[in-house]
Amino acid sequence: MSWRRLPRRSLAVSAVLSLGAVVPVDVVVVRVLHERDWTWGTIAAVAGVVAVLIVAGIVAYEVARLRATRWRLTRERLELRSGVVSRQHRSVPRDRVRSVDLRADPVRRAFGLTVVKIGTGGHGDENAELTLDPLTVSEAETLRRVLLSGAPADAFLTEDPVLAGEPSRRDELVSATEAAWGSAPFRKDEAPQGNGLPEGDETSRRSGRHRGNEASLGGGRSRGSAASRGNGPSQEDEASSGHGSSWGGGPAGAMRAVEVVARLRWPWVRYAPLTVWSFAGAALVLGVLYKPLDALGVEVFSAETAALVWGWLTERPWVTIPVVVAGNVAAGVTGALLIFVESWGGYRLEREPGRPGAPEDTGPDARPASRDGRWRVRRGLLTSRSLTLDESRLRGVEIREPLLLRLGGGARVTAVATGLGKAREGETEDVAALTPPLPQAEAVRIAALVAGGRLPAPVPHPAAARRRRVRRALIAAVVPAVALAAMAMWIRNGGAEAWTRGSGLGAWAGGGGLGSWAGTGDVQAWIRDGALEAWVWGAVAAVLLLVLPLALLVAVAGYRGLGHGLGGRHLLARSGAVVRRTVALDRGGIVGWTITQSYVQRRAGLLTVSATTAAGDGHYDVVDVGGDTGLELAARAVPGLLDPFLVRSGPGAGCPPTSRARSADAAMPSQGPRSF
C-alpha cells in the first residue's frame, strides 16, 4: 500500500482553532496600546495585523506538518512518518495494537474529522500511543475495525491514497449503502459493506431473520430480565439499535450484531454533584478565570479586594457566610451538571462481535474461547469520544465508589486493560472509564458483563485488621489533642507570657519578625486575659469531639471496605475508606506476586498480597489479609507460581501454606516487601 496523506481540511480546523490564541494576544495588545494613548483606529489596525500574523503562522506550520506527515497500513504493521524539524518514522506491528481512541472536538466534528490514537501497550509517554491527527470519520472507522478485528487490510490496500480534500471510495460506498437501505436499523458503522472493506464486515441481505442473542449474567439471569427491571437497555432500545440481531454472510453462516450493554439514562445525572468539587465550585471558577482576568487588568486577589471582601463578611457574618457557602455550592453543582452532560451525553457501551464463527458463551463464568470481541465506549455532547478495547487485552474490571458517590448509592466502572495510557498532564478524564456515575446495582451488572462472568463475593478480613485501623485513628486524633493540651498548660503556667517578653524563643527570634509581633501589647494582653488559652482548649475540644469521631468512622468504613474473593476466572480485591475500589482481576493476567508484611502487620498476623499484572495500575493489593489466608489465596489464584516459596504447616496436603522462611529469607531481606 502506498503512503497516504492527512486530509487538507485540517488547515481550516487549524485556522479556526488559532482564534483561541488570537483573542488573548489581541486583548493584551489593546490594553498596552490604550495605556499609551493610541487612537482606537490605530489600535484596531495593529490588533488586526497581529491576528492575521498569528493565523497565518499557525496555518503555515500546519501546511508544513501535513506535507511532512504520511502513514500507511500494511498486512503486518501501521507506519507513520512525521516531523517538521526532526523527522520520525514509527512502525507498530498490528498484533501490538491494544486500543483505538477516536476523539473530535466541535470544530473537527464540523469538518468531518477526528483524531485517532492507537494504543500499543507501552508504558512510556512517547511510545504508548501512535496518533493520526486528523483522519476523516469514515476512514478512521475503517481503520479502527481493521486494526482490532485482525482482518486483512484490504480496505486500504485496494484503494488509492486519499488525497487531501477528496472523498475516499468508502465515503461513496457508505453514502450509496445508506441510500439503498434507507431507514433500516443500521448505524453508519454497522451498515452492510460492499467490496473494499475489511474481511468479516461484508454482509448481505440473504438472511432477513433476526434472532435474540441472550447472555447469562450472575445466576443465569438473562439480559432481558435485567432490562425489564430497568437495570439495562429496554426492549425499545434494543430494537432501535439492532441489538440481538444477526445477519447471514459470514464464514460460519451468521455474524452477530453489535450488543448494546448500556446507554445513558438521564436520571443518572443526580450522581454528578456527588463530588468534592461541588463544595469548591467558586474557588475552582476563580482559579480558572484568574489568568484571563489578570490579562484584562482585573486584580482578583489584590489587597484592596481582600480587605473589601473581609469587611463585607464580618459586617453581618450570620447572613453573609451562609450566602457565600450557598453560592459556592450552587456554582459547584451547576458546573458538575454541565460537565456530566457534556462528557457523557450520547453515552453508549457496546460489545462488538469478533470474527465470524466465534463460539458463544456457554455459562455464567464463560467467555468466548477466542476472546476476539471488542468493547466500545461512545460519549460526548460537544467533543465526541469513542474508545474501542480489544476484549483479549482486558485483564479485569474495577468498580470505584468515592465517599460521596457511595453514600448516594452510586459507583463507576473502569477497565483494567493493557494499552490504556494514563491521562496526560492537564487532563482530568479517566481514559479507562467505561461508565458515568450510575446506580451501584447497575455498575455491578455492567462489571459482570465486561468481566465475562459472575464476580466472586468478597470475604471479610479478620478482626485484627479492624483493630489496626482503630488504633491508627486514635493515634491520629489523640496525639494532636495531647500536644494542644500541653500547650494550654504551658500558657497557663506563664510560659507564653515569658516568651513574649524576650526570654526563650522570643529572644532567639530577635527584634524583628516573629519576635516583634509576639512582643506587641495586644498579644501580651490577649495572653494575660486568657483568650489564647481558651482558644487552645477549644482546639483540644474540637479534635476530641469532631476529629476523633470522624477518624473512627473512617477506620470502621475502611475495615468494612476490605474484602477478597476467588472465582473461577477472577481474583477480587476490595479496599478503601474514602474511595472504595473493587477490582476483579483476570487470574490469567497475573504475572507475579509481592508479599509485604510490616512490623505492625507481623505482630497482628496480617500481610498484604499484591498481584502484579501488565495492565492498569500494574499491581492490585489485597490489604491486611490473614497470613495463612493471603498465602493460600495467592497459591490458588495462579497454581504453581508461588509453590517454590511455600511449605505446608502440617503433614496433610490440605494444611494452609506458610512462607518457606529459610529459602525466602535467603533470597530477600527479612524486613520489607517480599517479591515472588
Side-chain angles (χ1 to χ4, degrees):
M1 169 184 170
S2 56
W3 291 93
R4 305 170 67 86
R5 299 178 182 178
L6 299 178
R8 290 178 185 167
R9 277 177 272 176
S10 178
L11 297 176
V13 172
S14 297
V16 175
L17 294 178
S18 65
L19 299 178
V22 168
V23 173
V25 173
D26 272 353
V27 167
V28 174
V29 169
V30 171
R31 177 185 171 187
V32 172
L33 297 183
H34 180 64
E35 291 177 351
R36 297 186 177 183
D37 297 328
W38 286 37
T39 63
W40 284 108
T42 306
I43 293 175
V46 173
V49 171
V50 170
V52 171
L53 290 177
I54 292 175
V55 174
I58 293 177
V59 172
Y61 175 81
E62 184 67 10
V63 170
R65 188 183 73 88
L66 293 179
R67 290 177 62 87
T69 304
R70 296 288 189 275
W71 70 277
R72 69 178 179 180
L73 180 68
T74 67
R75 289 183 172 85
E76 293 81 21
R77 57 186 61 246
L78 176 66
E79 299 179 72
L80 174 65
R81 290 178 178 176
S82 62
V84 177
V85 179
S86 176
R87 297 303 302 271
Q88 292 182 342
H89 185 180
R90 296 184 60 189
S91 177
V92 177
R94 291 180 56 182
D95 57 6
R96 283 191 56 201
V97 174
R98 308 296 192 259
S99 63
V100 178
D101 186 359
L102 277 57
R103 180 170 299 194
D105 54 43
V107 178
R108 288 184 173 87
R109 289 180 65 182
F111 287 92
L113 301 175
T114 184
V115 178
V116 182
K117 295 183 179 181
I118 296 102
T120 61
H123 293 285
D125 290 340
E126 218 174 290
N127 300 321
E129 291 180 340
L130 191 150
T131 302
L132 299 175
D133 181 11
L135 294 180
T136 62
V137 174
S138 59
E139 198 172 25
E141 284 289 340
T142 304
L143 179 63
R144 179 189 70 86
R145 292 193 188 192
V146 172
L147 289 176
L148 293 177
S149 66
D154 296 339
F156 296 104
L157 293 175
T158 58
E159 293 184 50
D160 296 327
V162 176
L163 299 178
E166 295 184 4
S168 66
R169 286 195 280 169
R170 187 182 190 281
D171 292 330
E172 300 171 358
L173 176 63
V174 170
S175 300
T177 305
E178 288 178 343
W181 282 78
S183 58
F186 295 101
R187 295 188 308 274
K188 184 177 181 178
D189 60 332
E190 295 174 7
Q193 310 295 332
N195 294 331
L197 291 184
E199 228 177 64
D201 284 6
E202 295 181 5
T203 56
S204 66
R205 299 184 60 182
R206 288 177 298 177
S207 175
R209 293 181 297 121
H210 293 266
R211 55 183 176 84
N213 184 18
E214 299 179 354
S216 301
L217 169 66
R221 293 171 297 180
S222 68
R223 197 173 58 250
S225 61
S228 65
R229 294 190 304 273
N231 292 334
S234 63
Q235 294 177 355
E236 241 178 54
D237 294 339
E238 295 176 357
S240 64
S241 64
H243 173 65
S245 62
S246 63
W247 315 305
M255 181 177 179
R256 296 185 301 276
V258 173
E259 177 185 353
V260 180
V261 174
R263 64 174 71 236
L264 180 65
R265 297 181 182 276
W266 286 112
W268 294 350
V269 77
R270 67 183 184 272
Y271 296 108
L274 299 180
T275 172
V276 293
W277 295 111
S278 295
F279 301 94
L284 182 62
V285 171
L286 288 177
V288 172
L289 296 179
Y290 171 71
K291 287 187 177 181
L293 292 177
D294 184 65
L296 294 173
V298 179
E299 297 184 4
V300 180
F301 302 108
S302 64
E304 294 79 5
T305 304
L308 181 64
V309 172
W310 180 255
W312 179 73
L313 287 174
T314 55
E315 184 179 358
R316 294 185 181 88
W318 298 108
V319 176
T320 56
I321 291 179
V323 169
V324 170
V325 172
N328 183 60
V329 172
V333 170
T334 303
L337 294 175
L338 292 176
I339 291 174
F340 181 94
V341 171
E342 197 285 322
S343 297
W344 295 101
Y347 163 75
R348 290 164 63 97
L349 176 62
E350 303 168 342
R351 185 182 183 276
E352 297 181 343
R355 300 176 182 84
E360 299 282 350
D361 294 343
T362 57
D365 291 332
R367 177 180 284 184
S370 60
R371 299 181 64 184
D372 60 352
R374 299 179 297 276
W375 289 94
R376 187 175 189 183
V377 182
R378 305 188 191 195
R379 61 189 180 94
L381 190 63
L382 299 178
T383 299
S384 64
R385 307 164 182 88
S386 173
L387 174 65
T388 308
L389 295 173
D390 190 346
E391 191 175 48
S392 64
R393 306 303 178 183
L394 278 174
R395 295 296 179 264
V397 67
E398 178 179 343
I399 301 175
R400 295 184 182 178
E401 301 172 85
L403 180 60
L404 293 177
L405 186 59
R406 185 168 72 247
L407 294 177
R412 298 184 63 183
V413 181
T414 60
V416 179
T418 58
L420 279 181
K422 295 184 178 179
R424 299 189 182 276
E425 185 177 355
E427 294 185 5
T428 58
E429 293 183 354
D430 187 354
V431 294
L434 295 179
T435 69
L438 73 171
Q440 199 266 350
E442 179 72 356
V444 172
R445 181 190 76 89
I446 294 175
L449 286 174
V450 174
R454 181 169 44 193
L455 303 182
V459 177
H461 285 201
R466 180 177 62 242
R467 291 195 296 270
R468 187 185 178 207
R469 280 156 177 74
V470 171
R471 278 196 300 267
R472 285 190 298 190
L474 291 174
I475 292 173
V478 171
V479 170
V482 171
L484 290 171
M487 180 182 293
M489 297 302 297
W490 175 69
I491 296 172
R492 175 176 297 181
N493 293 332
E497 188 174 0
W499 174 66
T500 59
R501 290 177 180 175
S503 61
L505 183 60
W508 173 78
L514 182 61
S516 61
W517 173 81
T520 59
D522 293 340
V523 175
Q524 293 178 359
W526 194 33
I527 295 174
R528 284 195 301 269
D529 294 342
L532 180 59
E533 182 184 351
W535 274 97
V536 175
W537 283 115
V540 173
V543 169
L544 294 177
L545 297 178
L546 298 178
V547 177
L548 180 58
L550 181 61
L552 291 175
L553 286 175
V554 171
V556 173
Y559 171 73
R560 295 183 61 184
L562 291 177
H564 68 275
L566 193 63
R569 293 188 56 250
H570 296 94
L571 168 68
L572 186 136
R574 189 178 71 180
S575 63
V578 179
V579 179
R580 180 176 296 174
R581 302 175 61 188
T582 305
V583 180
L585 191 62
D586 196 323
R587 293 164 58 183
I590 299 175
V591 296
W593 295 100
T594 300
I595 312 297
T596 306
Q597 191 175 46
S598 66
Y599 173 77
V600 177
Q601 283 181 315
R602 190 156 53 247
R603 293 290 302 271
L606 304 173
L607 52 80
T608 297
V609 180
S610 301
T612 304
T613 182
D617 294 342
H619 67 91
Y620 293 92
D621 305 334
V622 180
V623 183
D624 284 349
V625 67
D628 293 341
T629 304
L631 295 174
E632 179 70 21
L633 178 70
R636 291 179 54 198
V638 186
L641 183 60
L642 205 60
D643 288 351
F645 304 96
L646 298 177
V647 293
R648 300 291 170 176
S649 58
C655 296
T658 58
S659 61
R660 181 175 295 171
R662 291 185 179 180
S663 60
D665 292 344
M668 62 199 67
S670 58
Q671 303 290 336
R674 297 179 174 180
S675 299
F676 299 91

